[in-house]
Amino acid sequence: LVQLVSFGCGVDAITSDDVVLLHDDLLATGGTMKAAYNLVRKFNPKNIYVNFIIEITDEGLHGRDIFDKETEITTLIKV
């Protein structure tokens, strides 16, 4: 199973005065959110928050680990 995700935004969509919240329902490997985070970071917003409803830490999945330590990540439920 291959899932293709597309995300796009205009060059003036995010400014250096903006605070951005990236939200997804599930954190498993973190690859999709990391790609979105890296894209948003190119716009140099004031801050970027990353939020998930569920974080999977079983099964050897540690998606949080692929983010820089200063990335603010919150989750509601860890399983």
Side-chain angles (χ1 to χ4, degrees):
L1 175 67
V2 175
Q3 180 181 5
L4 300 177
V5 177
S6 176
F7 176 80
C9 60
V11 295
D12 61 347
I14 300 171
T15 71
S16 60
D17 292 327
D18 289 331
V19 174
V20 177
L21 170 64
L22 296 174
H23 175 77
D24 199 354
D25 59 345
L26 182 68
L27 172 58
T29 64
T32 302
M33 184 59 79
K34 179 65 172 171
Y37 178 86
N38 288 342
L39 177 62
V40 169
R41 192 169 64 179
K42 291 180 180 184
F43 293 94
N44 297 314
K46 190 179 298 185
N47 203 350
I48 304 171
Y49 297 98
V50 179
N51 176 264
F52 299 92
I53 297 173
I54 301 169
E55 178 179 358
I56 299 175
T57 56
D58 292 357
E59 311 294 326
L61 297 172
H62 301 283
R64 180 183 292 259
D65 295 344
I66 69 169
F67 291 88
D68 301 330
K69 296 299 178 198
E70 65 269 5
T71 304
E72 296 186 48
I73 300 173
T74 57
T75 58
L76 298 177
I77 302 167
K78 291 184 181 183
V79 293

